[in-house]
Amino acid sequence: MNILLWHVHGSWTTAFVQGPHTYLVPVTPDRGPDGLGRARTFSWPDSVREVTPAELADAPVDLVVLQRPHEMELAERWLGRRPGRDVPAVYLEHNAPDGDVPRTRHPCADREDLTLVHVTHFNRLFWDNGGTRAEVIEHGIVDPGHLYTGSLPRAAVVTNEPIRRGRHTGTDLLPELARAAPLDVFGMGTHGIAEHLGLSAGRCRAYELPQGDLHTAMAERRLYLHPVRWTSLGLSLLEAMHLGMPVVALATTEAVEAVLPGTGVLSTRPEVLARAVVHYVNEPQAAADDGARARQAALERYGLKRFLADWERLMTEVRS
């Protein structure tokens, strides 16, 4: 198939494009949000082709994967065909709802011409999907390998823009957790996080690393800390598990499904998380053992083979 999708979520797309199809990714001269083109920090196969809006008018497209509400209009304008009517389409929802959550209606609710695909069961439960067919295809990860050493008695936190996003990402919880172990915060927009939280440079360091260096750096830390209050399911958490890292996380959203007993510690009580951090820092073997179990659990549930097979099944159904 020729599949049209925008470069919106680099980590998710990296897994999706490992399938057996041709993936058409829009590119514009400014490489803005609607035309990023191929990823520059992720490894994508040659089957991912950049196409300009002008080229899309004559492109043979078998399926459109929409990920943002305005892409419906973009696709119709650039293709000259209506997604869901003139060409098969699915809408992929990456995020948990915001706002008045129990009453949050999805932008694609009550669409007979689309299939709405959620990346977690939590998301499908919390969005009001109306009468639209709603499916769940859980994340898949390109396995980075069992890289864990845990040689540094520090906790790795991976989050983008933690200062701006604040309570969403649990940024306000970091000072208490930094008393349990020094933190290394990886991600975009992390510069200045220590000063923002009133922490010393030794207790909280920020790193904005290229994707190719991130996994090795994470795996050197003793544990992965996930203080996020409200998200879908951070791919960095699943990547940490694949690396062989034990997880300490808030028991919120889909984390309660991903982090099984014996792979880490889940709680809604920050003081419990702090004790778990201290435990792993002081007991390297326990950290390694739980991390090995975390890796096995992640491979079984979030492996690439299952992910691609689920998408093949759904895409075949949508096109039939």
Side-chain angles (χ1 to χ4, degrees), residues 148 150 221-223 244-247 262-263 279-294:
Y148 180 73
R221 276 66 188 177
R222 187 67 48 82
L223 67 133
M245 302 183 72
V247 173
T263 68
H279 168 68
Y280 284 134
V281 167
N282 292 335
E283 301 290 342
Q285 190 58 54
D289 291 345
D290 283 6
R293 284 188 287 267

Side-chain angles (χ1 to χ4, degrees), residues 208-262:
E208 297 191 24
L209 298 179
Q211 187 67 26
D213 299 332
L214 177 60
H215 289 156
T216 301
M218 289 171 61
E220 292 174 344
R221 276 66 188 177
R222 187 67 48 82
L223 67 133
Y224 180 78
L225 177 62
H226 190 70
V228 182
R229 279 191 179 87
W230 188 254
T231 186
S232 176
L233 177 61
L235 279 172
S236 57
L237 183 151
L238 300 180
E239 290 169 353
M241 293 175 71
H242 274 77
L243 291 168
M245 302 183 72
V247 173
V248 175
L250 279 180
T252 56
T253 66
E254 191 78 0
V256 298
E257 291 280 342
V259 183
L260 303 179

Side-chain angles (χ1 to χ4, degrees), residues 5 52 58 62-63 142 212 218 243 296 312:
L5 76 159
T52 66
D58 299 317
D62 300 302
L63 178 72
V142 178
M218 289 171 61
L243 291 168
Q296 188 59 39
E312 286 299 308

Side-chain angles (χ1 to χ4, degrees), residues 100-112:
D100 187 4
V101 171
R103 299 177 179 84
T104 306
R105 190 166 176 81
H106 197 276
C108 291
D110 292 330
R111 292 284 301 259
E112 296 182 354

Side-chain angles (χ1 to χ4, degrees), residues 154 177-184 194 199-205:
R154 302 177 67 90
L177 295 168
R179 289 195 290 272
L183 310 178
D184 289 329
L199 296 171
S200 68
R203 300 307 292 181
C204 183
R205 300 172 182 167

